[in-house]
């Protein structure tokens, strides 16, 4: 308790993605702000996507952004691992469908089996044209 200046620990539970409905524009704005913020803070840091940020800080950023509708909340965070973890959480838990959509999943797997590197790139690019806009 001394270390925490006499305060009780508070724990933020991860949001239930099913409860959260995020308009596409808000989600895209969050993604762009995270990428910009990571670009300005984290280009020299290693492992920002590999090493997780603090769960409580990540949960707070997600809640501030999507529940409290403070789209600029990411601009107040200086920990690149928290920002990267929040971005990964958005892609993994909040998006209704994965970035590599369910309908294109088998096609992407097939494209990656191609031996020729250039053909693999061409096939992947063609599949990307099928992404939702």
């Amino acid at each position: 308790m001394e270390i925490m200046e006499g305060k009780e620990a508070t724990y933020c539970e991860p949001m239930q993605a099913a409860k959260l409905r995020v308009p596409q524009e808000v989600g895209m704005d969050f993604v762009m702000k995270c990428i910009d913020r990571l670009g300005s803070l984290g280009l020299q840091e290693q492992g920002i996507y590999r090493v997780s940020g603090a769960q409580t800080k990540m949960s707070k950023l997600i809640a501030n952004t999507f529940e409290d509708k403070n789209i600029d909340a990411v601009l107040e965070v200086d920990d690149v691992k928290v920002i990267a973890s929040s971005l990964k959480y958005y892609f993994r838990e909040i998006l209704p469908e994965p970035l590599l959509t369910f309908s294109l999943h088998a096609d992407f797997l097939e494209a990656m089996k191609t031996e020729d590197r250039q053909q693999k790139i061409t096939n992947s690019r063609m599949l990307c044209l099928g992404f939702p806009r």
Side-chain angles (χ1 to χ4, degrees), residues 20-32 65-66 71 90-91 94-97 99 131-133:
L20 194 60
R21 301 261 191 272
V22 176
Q24 184 176 353
E25 311 79 50
V26 174
M28 199 60 201
D29 199 18
F30 174 72
V31 169
M32 295 306 295
T65 302
F66 298 115
I71 197 64
Y90 174 78
F91 288 141
I94 297 176
L95 277 181
E97 186 172 28
L99 289 177
F131 286 158
R133 300 221 179 255

Side-chain angles (χ1 to χ4, degrees), residues 111 114-125:
T114 305
E115 295 293 325
D116 181 73
R117 184 178 185 277
Q118 191 57 46
Q119 188 61 45
K120 189 181 291 191
I121 292 169
T122 301
N123 292 349
S124 298
R125 284 185 177 160

Side-chain angles (χ1 to χ4, degrees), residues 1 9 16 19-20 27 29 31 38 42 49-50 56 64 69-71 74 77 79-80 91 104 107 120 123 127-128:
M1 287 293 264
Q16 297 297 319
K19 293 191 304 187
L20 194 60
D29 199 18
V31 169
L38 289 169
Y49 292 102
R50 183 178 42 81
T56 54
N64 285 344
K69 312 240 185 301
N70 177 7
I71 197 64
V74 71
V77 178
D79 186 334
V80 293
F91 288 141
L104 294 174
D107 295 330
K120 189 181 291 191
N123 292 349
L127 287 169
C128 289

Side-chain angles (χ1 to χ4, degrees), residues 77-94:
V77 178
D78 292 328
D79 186 334
V80 293
K81 291 179 178 78
V82 169
I83 297 169
S85 292
S86 299
L87 185 58
K88 290 189 303 185
Y89 181 86
Y90 174 78
F91 288 141
R92 188 178 55 246
E93 302 294 334
I94 297 176

